[in-house]
């Protein structure tokens, strides 16, 4: 498959670019932060995204979706990296929709996916329990009692955990810590009895929570897929999530590059533009080259997902690892080349480095994905 | 079946009949490849057959026009040929600076006469070419070259010294940059000329490298007669063609960063050599370096693919050859530094059958030149900064 985006995808990219630049620029994230927004996102903006069909892109047509594919959705997410737009798009329309589509029964899909596509339902995935991503290290328990499960445990770094309507929780119904079998997926209302949500204020001013479960009762009807067999859908969903995090980080790396390049062409010291200094030119040229490589891995992983390529897991880890590395370079260089003004809260470049690290950390950082890529390659 | 499907089937059948078995494996090193030329000694009868069969169809230069001996294939057909060759692991029948460099320049800038004279022998592998660009005083600053061509009416008399002439001692003809107008601004007084290496006054002398091999020569020009009808393009307008050729060269060297299909990846070599326990390589620090390299190599290969596809579809900046050259050669240097770490003390063995003639240390040393030849990494970064990023 040719490594280019088609006309329809290009149009979506441009319309997303225009829309986000107008309605959700970086200044909107600052506003949400400074106002101490309860949800961490703008509900009107989310409504507009839903009206444009963005929540329906990954939903199959049978459930009221557009089935437009990952390459298309990736163009939008890349643009949200440029504007640092906060919204439920990632945790609901990508993670929630993908996991439900992969794991749920037809009846569940009909109910849940239709609601997601229509913007009537937001979801949050609760998977990690440790400070480093480890999707098999699940100790949170769900014990079957009659027609329901009793849940006990704690989840961390739950994106949108404080605002989503429903939580999708990876729990252990059998087996030991580290086993892939014995992991089950349950979906429940966030405001179920026994669920305690602690909103964590994050460095990126976005939305995450620690969620504690004390004897929470969930009907067995809310099991997604077979009991104990949830890991493969979970793992495939995490691959999808990592592909989009890579796409978002590509947007961050490009936007911080573009802004820095502009600054190199404006800022004068010693009577000349600082962009005339070879020391900075070479670093900028290297940075640009790295971003070119990032464009390729992001497009490739999105294409792999659309084609159901069996190498998608390895490709997801390649893309995530590469973007983790380059977004770190990009945001560090952005601050350094901006000099003192880059350290000020008033200037926007700092927002990019603050979003870059949580995006890199979520669902596995460079070390996690480098290790995983090597394991998948047989070493 | 569509025309292309028919072409694919015919190509597949033809290759099956005409590609000798021993030519269905990757070239191991530069000595194993077929370079052709007047003085060429074929390494085997099969190497000779393979060249002759392919040359007869013009498939040593598949997309050149048939009137100059080329295959006359369109882009889609050329791609199919490439894929079908890769399918059976067929090696290139001919490695040639004629096909890679001066041929494309002649097709774009040369007179009808020059094309008729030079292209068919290139396709047939009868004439081997070398490049006379760099001089002792003109490396990164190539436009500062001083080799002069004095105008004598119907010919020039060339004097001076060229250096880093690849296979200058084995080549039959040279394409060479000469300063033909000493008074013009430096880029404006240069001509690209062609001459036979047996012309009196041409003396190539091999240079031994730190790797022990001698792929390069210094070439002395002492009152060499160059006919005016052997000037490519206009007199004193050679710099444009030189830059075009440098772009070609960058693309070629940039592909050094790509692992050959069919051979072991660095990760596989490392795993076999140091061992794997419970899925992970025994040496964790080496493993970390190797996997980082593999990720970068995968990203680079995809980038080369993407850039090609973008150019085909009319997207992209098109000026990315400097980036590919820069990244590919740095990647190749990293690969061989890791090869040293993987092979430990064995990698220090310079000679002998067990070490495949010291292949690892010699290749490692040779890669140090990758980021110098064809424009240094620093020059590539300058090109990116100025031409793509607009930094003055």
């Amino acid at each position: 498959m040719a490594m280019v985006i088609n006309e329809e995808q290009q149009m979506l990219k441009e319309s997303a670019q225009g829309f986000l630049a107008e309605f959700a620029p970086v200044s909107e994230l600052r506003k949400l932060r400074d106002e101490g927004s309860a949800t961490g996102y703008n509900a009107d903006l989310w409504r507009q995204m839903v009206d444009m069909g963005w929540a329906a892109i990954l939903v199959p047509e049978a459930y009221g979706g557009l089935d437009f594919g990952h390459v298309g959705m990736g163009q939008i997410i890349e643009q949200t990296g440029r504007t640092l737009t906060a919204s439920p798009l990632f945790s609901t329309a990508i993670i929630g929709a993908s996991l439900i589509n992969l794991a749920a029964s037809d009846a569940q899909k009909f109910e849940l996916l239709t609601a997601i596509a229509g913007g009537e339902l937001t979801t949050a995935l609760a998977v990690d329990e440790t400070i480093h991503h480890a999707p098999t290290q699940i100790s949170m328990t769900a014990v079957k009692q009659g027609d329901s499960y009793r849940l006990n445990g704690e989840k961390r770094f739950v994106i949108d955990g404080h605002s989503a309507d429903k939580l999708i929780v990876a729990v252990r119904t059998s087996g030991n810590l580290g086993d892939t079998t014995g992991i089950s997926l349950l979906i429940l209302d966030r405001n179920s009895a026994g669920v305690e949500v602690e909103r964590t204020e994050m460095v990126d001013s976005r939305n995450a929570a620690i969620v504690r479960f004390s004897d929470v009762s969930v009907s067995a009807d809310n099991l997604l897929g077979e009991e104990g067999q949830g890991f493969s859908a979970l793992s495939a969903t995490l691959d999808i999530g990592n592909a989009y995090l890579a796409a978002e980080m590509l947007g961050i790396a490009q936007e911080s590059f573009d802004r820095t390049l502009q600054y190199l062409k404006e800022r004068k010291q010693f009577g000349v533009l600082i962009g005339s200094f070879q020391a900075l030119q070479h670093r900028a040229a290297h940075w640009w080259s790295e971003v070119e490589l990032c464009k390729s891995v992001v497009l490739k992983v999105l294409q792999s997902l659309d084609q159901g390529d069996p190498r998608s897991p390895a490709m997801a880890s390649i893309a995530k690892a590469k973007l983790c590395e380059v977004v770190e370079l990009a945001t560090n260089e952005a601050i350094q080349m901006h000099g003192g003004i880059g350290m000020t809260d008033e200037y926007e470049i700092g927002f990019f480095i603050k979003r870059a690290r949580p995006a890199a950390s979520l669902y596995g950082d460079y070390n996690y994905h480098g290790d995983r890529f090597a394991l998948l390659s047989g070493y | 079946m569509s025309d292309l499907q028919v072409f694919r089937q015919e190509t597949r059948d033809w290759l099956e009949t005409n590609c000798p078995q021993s030519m269905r494996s990757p070239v191991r090193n530069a000595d194993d490849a077929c370079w052709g030329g007047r003085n060429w000694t074929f390494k085997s009868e099969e190497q000779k057959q393979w060249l002759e069969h392919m040359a007869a169809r013009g498939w040593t230069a598949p997309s050149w026009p048939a009137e100059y001996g080329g295959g006359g294939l369109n882009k889609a057909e050329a791609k199919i040929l490439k894929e079908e060759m890769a399918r059976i692991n067929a090696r290139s029948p001919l490695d040639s600076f004629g096909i890679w460099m001066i041929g494309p320049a002649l097709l774009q800038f040369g007179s009808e006469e020059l094309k008729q004279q030079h292209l068919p022998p290139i396709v047939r592998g009868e004439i081997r070419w070398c490049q006379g660009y760099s001089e002792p005083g003109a490396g990164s600053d190539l436009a500062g070259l001083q080799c002069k061509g004095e105008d004598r009416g119907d010919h020039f008399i060339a004097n001076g010294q060229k250096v880093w002439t690849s296979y200058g001692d084995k080549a039959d003809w040279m394409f060479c940059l000469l300063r033909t107008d000493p008074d013009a601004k430096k880029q404006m007084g240069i001509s690209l000329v062609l001459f036979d290496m047996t012309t009196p006054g041409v003396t190539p002398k091999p240079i031994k490298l730190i790797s022990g091999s001698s792929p390069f020569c210094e070439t002395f020009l002492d009152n060499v007669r160059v006919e005016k009808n052997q000037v490519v393009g206009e007199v004193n307008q050679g710099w444009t063609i030189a830059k075009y050729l440098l772009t070609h060269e960058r693309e070629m060297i940039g592909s050094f960063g790509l692992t050959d299909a069919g051979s072991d990846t660095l990760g596989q070599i490392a795993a076999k050599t140091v061992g794997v326990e419970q899925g992970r390589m025994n040496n964790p620090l080496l493993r970390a370096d190797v996997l980082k390299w593999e990720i970068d190599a995968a990203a680079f290969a995809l980038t080369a693919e993407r850039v090609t596809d973008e150019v085909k579809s009319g997207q992209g900046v098109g000026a990315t050859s400097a980036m590919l050259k820069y990244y590919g050669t740095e990647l190749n240097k990293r690969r061989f530094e890791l090869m040293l770490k993987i092979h430990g003390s064995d990698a220090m063995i310079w000679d002998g059958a067990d070490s495949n003639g010291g292949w690892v240390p010699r290749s490692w040393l040779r890669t140090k030149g990758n980021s110098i030849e064809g424009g240094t990494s620093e020059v590539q970064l300058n090109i990116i900064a100025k031409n793509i990023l607009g930094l003055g």
Side-chain angles (χ1 to χ4, degrees):
Chain A
M1 184 177 198
M3 290 193 62
V4 287
I5 58 172
N6 66 30
E7 224 168 282
E8 278 183 309
Q9 291 156 350
Q10 181 66 33
M11 277 169 61
L12 182 59
K13 178 180 183 159
E14 283 163 17
S15 83
Q17 199 168 14
F19 172 79
L20 293 166
E22 185 175 354
F23 296 106
V26 180
S27 54
E28 285 300 306
L29 177 64
R30 179 193 294 277
K31 212 160 105 190
L32 291 166
R33 179 194 73 176
D34 292 348
E35 288 171 354
S37 158
T39 55
Y41 66 87
N42 182 329
D44 291 339
L45 183 81
W46 175 231
R47 190 71 246 168
Q48 282 177 279
M49 289 179 174
V50 170
D51 289 345
M52 287 188 293
W54 291 4
I57 286 178
L58 297 185
V59 174
E61 286 173 15
Y63 308 108
L66 299 170
D67 210 3
F68 193 69
H70 294 294
V71 174
M73 186 66 135
Q75 305 311 311
I76 297 178
I77 294 297
E78 184 184 321
Q79 295 309 313
T80 65
R82 282 182 173 271
T83 49
L84 301 178
T85 301
S87 82
L89 197 59
F90 178 76
S91 41
T92 297
I94 292 169
I95 297 295
S98 297
L99 188 50
I100 290 163
N101 196 38
L102 285 164
S105 68
D106 278 347
Q108 287 170 326
K109 284 188 198 178
F110 188 79
E111 180 202 336
L112 298 166
L113 291 179
T114 310
I116 286 177
E120 293 134 25
L121 172 67
T122 56
T123 61
L125 174 65
V127 54
D128 280 318
E129 299 176 13
T130 53
I131 55 173
H132 294 114
H133 177 63
T136 64
Q137 300 293 310
I138 287 172
S139 60
M140 177 172 165
T141 53
V143 178
K144 187 96 178 263
Q145 292 175 333
D147 289 340
S148 65
Y149 289 94
R150 190 160 294 272
L151 277 52
N152 279 288
E154 182 179 308
K155 294 286 181 183
R156 316 179 66 85
F157 208 8
V158 180
I159 303 304
D160 288 3
H162 70 290
S163 63
D165 302 321
K166 285 184 188 288
L167 304 172
I168 303 173
V169 196
V171 293
R172 186 160 292 288
T173 42
S174 64
N176 299 310
L177 197 65
D179 290 351
T180 52
T181 50
I183 293 172
S184 304
L185 302 167
L186 286 163
I187 185 162
L188 65 149
D189 287 344
R190 179 174 53 90
N191 51 20
S192 304
V195 175
E196 183 206 330
V197 177
E198 178 193 334
R199 182 179 183 182
T200 45
E201 209 169 298
M202 307 298 279
V203 65
D204 59 355
S205 309
R206 301 275 272 268
N207 325 300
I210 295 172
V211 185
R212 298 186 182 87
F213 300 81
S214 318
D215 287 329
V216 178
S217 178
V218 180
S219 162
D221 293 343
N222 289 359
L223 187 67
L224 300 178
E226 299 287 311
E227 184 186 293
Q229 303 299 315
F231 187 74
S232 75
L234 176 64
S235 183
T237 302
L238 293 170
D239 285 336
I240 293 169
N242 278 308
Y244 284 100
L245 288 164
E248 185 190 348
M249 289 193 283
L250 174 61
I252 294 173
Q254 290 183 100
E255 184 67 19
S256 36
F257 180 81
D258 291 350
R259 288 178 182 228
T260 305
L261 183 61
Q262 192 56 40
Y263 190 71
L264 293 178
K265 292 175 179 177
E266 289 165 8
R267 171 73 173 170
K268 278 187 173 180
Q269 285 289 277
F270 306 104
V272 293
L273 293 172
I274 61 172
S276 66
F277 299 136
Q278 201 175 41
L280 295 182
Q281 288 179 0
H282 282 194
R283 277 161 55 188
H286 173 76
W287 175 2
W288 180 83
S289 302
E290 289 286 9
V291 172
E292 285 297 306
L293 265 68
C294 290
K295 289 180 188 172
S296 317
V297 290
V298 167
L299 179 57
K300 186 68 182 182
V301 68
L302 295 168
Q303 287 184 341
S304 305
L305 290 170
D306 277 337
Q307 291 169 321
D309 190 322
R311 287 165 300 181
S312 294
M315 206 51 236
S317 280
I318 288 176
K320 183 73 184 306
K322 185 66 196 165
L323 266 296
C324 284
E325 179 212 344
V326 174
V327 86
E328 183 177 318
L329 170 84
T331 50
N332 287 347
E333 287 287 60
I335 300 281
Q336 179 66 23
M337 292 190 196
H338 274 88
I341 199 169
M343 290 298 295
T344 63
D345 181 68
E346 192 188 344
Y347 208 75
E348 285 184 352
I349 200 74
F351 281 76
F352 290 89
I353 196 171
K354 290 194 210 172
R355 173 56 194 159
R357 296 307 184 277
S361 172
L362 184 63
Y363 304 154
D365 61 7
Y366 172 85
N367 292 340
Y368 177 86
H369 285 284
D371 178 67
R372 182 168 180 260
F373 163 73
L375 285 171
L376 289 169
S377 309
Y379 62 91
Chain B
M1 268 201 295
S2 73
D3 288 355
L4 284 178
Q5 283 169 319
V6 171
F7 178 77
R8 185 183 290 279
Q9 191 56 48
E10 286 174 359
T11 302
R12 186 173 292 189
D13 294 344
W14 187 87
L15 286 170
E16 200 47 63
T17 313
N18 290 283
C19 182
Q21 279 306 324
S22 65
M23 296 293 106
R24 301 185 188 193
S25 64
V27 171
R28 288 189 303 274
N29 52 50
D31 291 337
D32 191 31
C34 179
W35 288 91
R38 287 178 198 141
N39 304 315
W40 181 251
T41 312
F42 287 98
K43 300 289 190 285
S44 66
E45 186 57 30
E46 297 200 323
Q47 190 185 59
K48 181 165 180 267
Q49 284 172 3
W50 180 223
L51 173 61
E52 284 172 359
H53 288 155
M54 288 290 275
R57 303 202 71 161
W59 283 2
T60 47
S63 49
W64 290 10
E67 53 181 315
Y68 306 121
L73 303 186
N74 61 34
K75 273 182 186 166
E77 290 166 338
K79 187 161 174 269
I80 287 172
L81 173 60
K82 216 171 156 184
E83 286 166 359
E84 288 303 315
M85 285 176 68
R87 201 182 65 85
I88 59 167
N89 232 346
R91 61 176 63 180
S92 165
L94 180 65
D95 282 6
S96 159
F97 293 118
I99 290 169
W100 299 331
M101 304 188 70
I102 189 63
L106 283 172
L107 281 170
Q108 184 145 352
F109 302 99
S111 65
E112 188 54 35
E113 225 181 322
L114 286 179
K115 288 187 214 176
Q116 296 282 3
Q117 179 189 354
H118 292 297
L119 295 177
I122 289 175
V123 173
R124 294 193 296 265
E126 292 166 0
I127 294 294
R128 186 171 176 177
W129 285 82
C130 65
Q131 170 182 267
Y133 270 31
S134 297
E135 296 175 9
S140 289
D141 182 17
L142 182 61
L145 61 91
Q146 294 300 325
C147 252
K148 63 175 186 226
E150 247 176 272
D151 196 333
R152 298 284 175 87
D154 64 344
H155 67 279
F156 292 106
I157 292 294
N159 276 290
Q161 183 189 348
K162 291 289 173 182
V163 73
W164 309 123
T165 323
S166 300
Y167 304 111
D169 54 336
K170 298 185 172 73
D172 304 312
W173 275 70
M174 177 185 273
F175 54 98
C176 180
L177 294 174
L178 294 179
R179 182 158 302 285
T180 42
D181 182 352
D183 302 322
K185 186 174 161 265
K186 72 179 186 180
Q187 281 89 351
M188 300 307 293
I190 295 171
S191 301
L192 181 67
V193 304
L194 313 175
F195 56 80
D196 194 314
M197 291 294 279
T198 61
T199 312
V202 180
T203 315
K205 197 176 145 234
I207 303 168
K208 190 173 175 181
L209 298 183
I210 52 176
S211 60
S213 68
S214 305
F216 297 113
C217 289
E218 43 187 354
T219 304
F220 298 91
L221 306 178
D222 182 17
N223 289 321
V224 176
R225 183 185 166 109
V226 179
E227 301 303 330
K228 276 243 176 105
N229 66 10
Q230 296 299 318
V231 174
V232 183
E234 300 292 315
V235 172
N236 294 330
Q237 301 296 316
W239 184 246
T240 312
I241 312 171
K243 278 197 299 184
Y244 166 84
L245 275 171
L246 284 170
T247 307
H248 252 263
E249 190 182 14
R250 284 203 292 269
E251 284 165 2
M252 207 165 78
I253 298 174
S255 68
F256 285 179
L258 302 170
T259 306
D260 300 327
S263 49
D264 278 350
T265 64
L266 193 72
Q268 287 165 334
I269 294 169
K272 281 181 193 168
T273 310
V274 307
V276 174
E277 248 177 79
Q278 291 181 323
R280 289 185 174 87
M281 203 185 295
N282 280 325
N283 182 332
L285 294 185
L286 177 62
R287 178 176 185 261
D289 286 346
V290 167
L291 72 86
K292 180 163 168 44
W293 187 88
E294 286 282 11
I295 287 169
D296 285 343
F300 179 72
L302 288 169
T303 303
E305 197 184 325
R306 179 174 63 81
V307 166
T308 310
D309 288 347
E310 283 177 354
V311 170
K312 273 188 213 154
S313 74
Q315 301 175 14
V317 289
T320 45
S321 68
M323 180 272 291
L324 294 174
K325 202 277 176 185
Y326 163 63
Y327 213 101
T329 56
E330 294 298 331
L331 203 56
N332 207 33
K333 289 197 296 182
R334 278 170 58 198
R335 164 156 65 157
F336 277 91
E337 287 298 341
L338 286 166
M339 285 289 274
L340 288 198
K341 289 176 179 148
I342 290 165
H343 290 288
S345 62
D346 273 2
M348 304 298 123
I349 300 174
W350 184 250
D351 219 336
D354 283 354
S355 68
N356 187 16
W359 185 79
V360 171
R362 287 166 189 259
S363 303
W364 161 68
L365 285 163
R366 181 62 187 84
T367 62
K368 299 303 170 196
N370 294 164
S371 53
I372 301 168
E373 58 207 336
T376 62
S377 283
E378 290 72 19
V379 165
Q380 307 310 320
L381 291 171
N382 284 345
I383 291 171
I384 296 169
K386 289 187 168 58
N387 296 358
I388 300 175
L389 307 183
L391 293 171

